[in-house]
Amino acid sequence: MQNQTGPAGLKTFEDLDWAQQNNPALIEHSLGQVTVLGDLRKYLRWLDDHEVTTTVTSKLKREKLRAKGIHPSSACKKKACLLKLFYECTYQVKPAKKFDAKSQLTWDIGTMLHDMMQQHFSAMYGEQFQYEVPLQYGHIKSRTDGIFSFDHYRFILEMKSIKEGGNFGWEKVQASPMEDNVRQAHFYMWLANIPMALLLYINKNGSEFKEHAVLFNPVLWNEIEQNVLTPVLSAAFEKGPMVPALPGWHCRWCDFAHACPEKGGKKDADSDWSEEGS
Ligand code: SF4
């Protein structure tokens, strides 16, 4: 796909802009390179053939406070509560995290799966793969699961561990990725100036993978900027108008519900088990 006057692949937003105007076929070709599963299968086979031991180290953190600011994992949600995002930027209300053993163990398992895959990708791709890369612009603070950098293309890695069944299960991601996950990947692409992302779903109980290549969509990003980032950052850091709350089912898991004037949560998120363990 070498072109005499333009880039040979997609590594930056500038490359994407150029390709959209001059060589759309380059975009399709580059998206076709946003994949790891073929290499992963060969690597797993190689590990087995050579009886190689892989050591995976996991840190299971229990920090209760994140840095003040916009965090993509919260702000990506299509129905994100702007008041919650405002509180995450200011801590005007002190968060009260409830202990929930089942949720905590679910997150821990997800962390360990992430670490396992990052270890494999590091062994497979060497310096072409960086993991847990910090990304920040102003008050937008994040850390991406990984960045792949090859000769003619780069892409963000965003992994999600998922199980079969349920409203957010494995079956839902067979044809396309989940909308909120695409939105989250857009934060990382924008922050890193990388126009493509790989959403890799890991089936926890079926030990299968599903991958989706995502191209940066400026229309979607403009919507996120206008409806989420601009109002929340303005209210939190520039004395702009206060943002509205969006109460709903998600209030059950909101760390600010205890002090929120609008809270719509109806049930306590603690299960019987977590009550016993707390
Ligand atoms: S309790 Fe609900 S309405 Fe209040 S800040 Fe949290 S998510 Fe928003």
Side-chain angles (χ1 to χ4, degrees):
M1 300 303 290
Q2 184 72 45
N3 185 294
Q4 289 181 340
T5 57
L10 294 189
K11 298 173 83 170
T12 66
F13 285 177
E14 290 73 28
D15 295 344
L16 177 60
D17 286 343
W18 182 89
Q20 281 170 331
Q21 293 180 27
N22 300 286
N23 188 1
L26 178 63
I27 298 173
E28 198 158 327
H29 172 78
S30 298
L31 270 178
Q33 312 303 310
V34 180
T35 172
V36 293
L37 288 189
D39 288 345
L40 180 63
R41 284 192 197 95
K42 286 183 204 156
Y43 176 70
L44 293 176
R45 178 62 191 253
W46 180 87
L47 286 178
D48 185 73
D49 287 347
H50 295 79
E51 301 182 27
V52 175
T53 298
T54 300
T55 302
V56 180
T57 304
S58 286
K59 290 182 183 171
L60 305 178
K61 297 180 182 172
R62 291 295 183 267
E63 289 153 342
K64 290 204 171 12
L65 288 187
R66 296 196 289 189
K68 287 180 188 172
I70 293 275
H71 296 276
S73 56
S74 298
C76 70
K77 295 184 171 43
K78 176 103 172 133
K79 295 180 180 172
C81 171
L82 299 188
L83 181 60
K84 177 174 183 277
L85 299 179
F86 171 85
Y87 287 151
E88 289 180 345
C89 285
T90 61
Y91 286 151
Q92 189 173 302
V93 165
K94 193 174 176 209
K97 283 191 177 293
K98 293 175 185 167
F99 175 66
D100 174 356
K102 188 173 176 184
S103 296
Q104 186 61 62
L105 288 172
T106 301
W107 292 323
D108 287 348
I109 291 167
T111 298
M112 290 190 286
L113 284 172
H114 275 61
D115 291 340
M116 180 181 78
M117 298 313 300
Q118 287 167 334
Q119 182 64 42
H120 283 330
F121 293 142
S122 291
M124 290 162 61
Y125 298 110
E127 292 181 352
Q128 294 173 309
F129 176 68
Q130 297 170 278
Y131 59 92
E132 296 299 320
V133 183
L135 298 171
Q136 179 172 353
Y137 181 79
H139 296 289
I140 307 173
K141 296 167 183 173
S142 70
R143 186 174 286 272
T144 180
D145 288 338
I147 294 178
F148 291 97
S149 300
F150 300 108
D151 284 348
H152 298 309
Y153 50 92
R154 295 197 300 158
F155 55 90
I156 295 289
L157 172 68
E158 174 59 19
M159 292 187 279
K160 298 291 178 193
S161 52
I162 193 167
K163 63 182 180 180
E164 292 170 356
N167 288 335
F168 299 98
W170 174 247
E171 297 79 7
K172 297 272 182 186
V173 299
Q174 296 309 297
S176 58
M178 290 190 195
E179 186 179 5
D180 284 352
N181 302 157
V182 173
R183 294 169 70 89
Q184 186 175 352
H186 271 67
F187 280 85
Y188 305 132
M189 287 190 279
W190 184 79
L191 288 164
N193 187 24
I194 293 177
M196 300 187 291
L198 179 73
L199 279 174
L200 180 63
Y201 291 97
I202 307 166
N203 182 329
K204 283 189 277 192
N205 54 315
S207 299
E208 291 181 89
F209 299 94
K210 187 75 191 179
E211 59 180 6
H212 293 288
V214 176
L215 182 69
F216 184 82
N217 177 352
V219 176
L220 173 58
W221 181 250
N222 285 343
E223 182 260 298
I224 293 170
E225 278 191 320
Q226 281 184 18
N227 296 339
V228 180
L229 297 180
T230 300
V232 172
L233 290 171
S234 170
F237 301 108
E238 297 161 12
K239 298 187 177 156
M242 190 52 185
V243 290
L246 180 65
W249 60 270
H250 47 265
C251 295
R252 293 173 60 186
W253 297 283
C254 177
D255 297 338
F256 307 100
H258 58 286
C260 171
E262 304 270 358
K263 77 173 170 182
K266 293 185 174 60
K267 293 182 183 175
D268 192 322
D270 279 347
S271 66
D272 291 340
W273 184 29
S274 60
E275 286 292 348
E276 282 172 21
S278 59

